[in-house]
Amino acid sequence: MPCPVVPSSLFEPLWEQFSALLPERPEFDPTHPLGCHRRRVPDRMVFGLVVEALVHGSGYERVATADCSDWTIRNRLREWSNLGLAHELHRIALTAYDKMIGLELSELPVDGCHTKAPCKGDKAGPSPVDRAKQGLKRSTLVDGGGIPLGLASASANRHDSVLLEPTIEAAKHQVGNLPTNATGHLDSAYDGKPSRRILDDHGLIGEIARKGVPAPIQVGMRWVVERTQSWMNGYGKIRRCFERDGRIVDFYLYLAAAFVTVRALIRRARKLYRWPSRPTARRLR
């Protein structure tokens, strides 16, 4: 079953790795009292609908089909998020990118981003940039080319500096220890002793914009992570998240990061390698 919302050259590699992470499940439920039950909805079908919800930001009732109900999608999402499959999928994508292209870990821009979370939930809070409406704060650490390495999420009223530590720890969990004396590029929101102390603890050199100085004078490499935030916000479920469960919020964040990573990998690799399903278009729509 193809997924119409993303190119097959992008969907198929991710599904192949994701399916390898899934635990074995029988086609019929062996605990059914009559010894029979409806067949389990194929994981590929559910994954395709989850990707459709991620891209469009649609509710599960809208993406559900006659063969897969909205509650099946919810239950399968809960199961996958509890297993941490999106985190593992993103880690696999990073490993492939590092092997074929190479991660640029000497430069590590970090930035936060506010998005909407109208239904409240574990990761929602009053947004200081949206008239105190419910929002989500996403902190992202990327490499020098804009590949997302680690993410941390919290309510929108959390300060960027508070999320710096969990963001760095998330990046270490995904790619291993970061190089010593790598440069962390941060905006003026991190200009303070707590942020500098965290960078020192992790062996990073902080290039932090000073407060009160106009941004064009001290842009540095922060535009790289801001571009990645824009890529992430291209997914409707990230841009406007209606999920209440914090684990499912993180599942979607890391699933989007995996798509961003694989898309960047294909765009870079198509100039260096040849394979049968290599896309001919320069831009993956």
Side-chain angles (χ1 to χ4, degrees):
M1 173 184 171
C3 184
V5 296
V6 294
S8 59
S9 60
L10 184 60
F11 177 83
E12 293 299 336
L14 281 168
W15 162 247
E16 183 177 348
Q17 295 298 327
F18 190 84
S19 62
L21 299 173
L22 294 172
E24 292 291 336
R25 292 287 189 271
E27 186 178 6
F28 295 95
D29 186 359
T31 62
H32 194 273
L34 300 180
C36 62
H37 199 265
R38 290 181 300 176
R39 284 184 171 87
R40 177 180 171 87
V41 178
D43 288 317
R44 180 186 175 91
M45 180 184 297
V46 181
F47 184 74
L49 296 177
V50 168
V51 172
E52 186 173 343
L54 170 68
V55 174
H56 293 315
S58 306
Y60 303 124
E61 295 84 357
R62 291 184 177 273
V63 300
T65 65
D67 298 321
C68 181
S69 69
D70 56 306
W71 280 108
T72 298
I73 301 174
R74 290 187 176 93
N75 292 336
R76 208 68 62 87
L77 262 176
R78 190 178 303 110
E79 175 187 341
W80 293 346
S81 61
N82 290 338
L83 293 173
L85 298 188
H87 294 69
E88 187 65 16
L89 181 66
H90 175 242
R91 189 190 64 79
I92 294 173
L94 287 175
T95 302
Y97 187 95
D98 190 29
K99 182 177 180 180
M100 299 182 67
I101 307 298
L103 293 170
E104 303 173 25
L105 299 180
S106 60
E107 309 290 344
L108 300 172
V110 186
D111 193 24
C113 179
H114 289 93
T115 53
K116 294 181 180 295
C119 291
K120 301 184 179 181
D122 297 340
K123 299 294 184 73
S127 175
V129 299
D130 193 18
R131 295 172 293 173
K133 295 181 180 180
Q134 292 297 307
L136 171 72
K137 168 69 71 69
R138 177 181 77 247
S139 177
T140 308
L141 185 148
V142 304
D143 77 334
I147 305 302
L149 304 180
L151 299 103
S153 60
S155 57
N157 56 341
R158 298 294 295 275
H159 196 270
D160 286 351
S161 60
V162 178
L163 293 179
L164 180 58
E165 177 82 20
T167 304
I168 297 175
E169 291 294 340
K172 287 185 174 182
H173 182 269
Q174 297 300 93
V175 299
N177 291 329
L178 301 175
T180 305
N181 294 329
T183 303
H185 300 267
L186 305 95
D187 61 23
S188 58
Y190 300 90
D191 187 14
K193 292 182 179 179
S195 297
R196 298 182 188 278
R197 187 184 312 112
I198 292 172
L199 293 174
D200 291 340
D201 292 342
H202 291 278
L204 302 177
I205 300 174
E207 185 172 322
I208 306 176
R210 291 176 296 166
K211 296 179 180 179
V213 179
I217 300 177
Q218 48 178 350
V219 172
M221 289 193 63
R222 297 199 314 277
W223 67 271
V224 177
V225 65
E226 291 168 358
R227 181 185 60 179
T228 302
Q229 299 286 35
S230 178
W231 290 341
M232 296 281 290
N233 288 340
Y235 294 93
K237 186 68 75 171
I238 306 302
R239 187 170 58 249
R240 191 178 181 87
C241 185
F242 290 90
E243 302 296 334
R244 295 175 179 269
D245 191 331
R247 290 169 297 183
I248 295 181
V249 172
D250 290 338
F251 177 91
Y252 275 116
L253 288 176
Y254 274 93
L255 182 60
F259 272 101
V260 169
T261 303
V262 173
R263 185 185 296 269
L265 171 58
I266 294 175
R267 294 188 65 183
R268 294 284 300 275
R270 66 183 300 274
K271 300 179 181 179
L272 304 173
Y273 304 94
R274 295 291 185 271
W275 64 95
S277 58
R278 173 178 173 268
T280 56
R282 296 180 59 187
R283 179 179 179 182
L284 289 175
R285 298 183 181 277

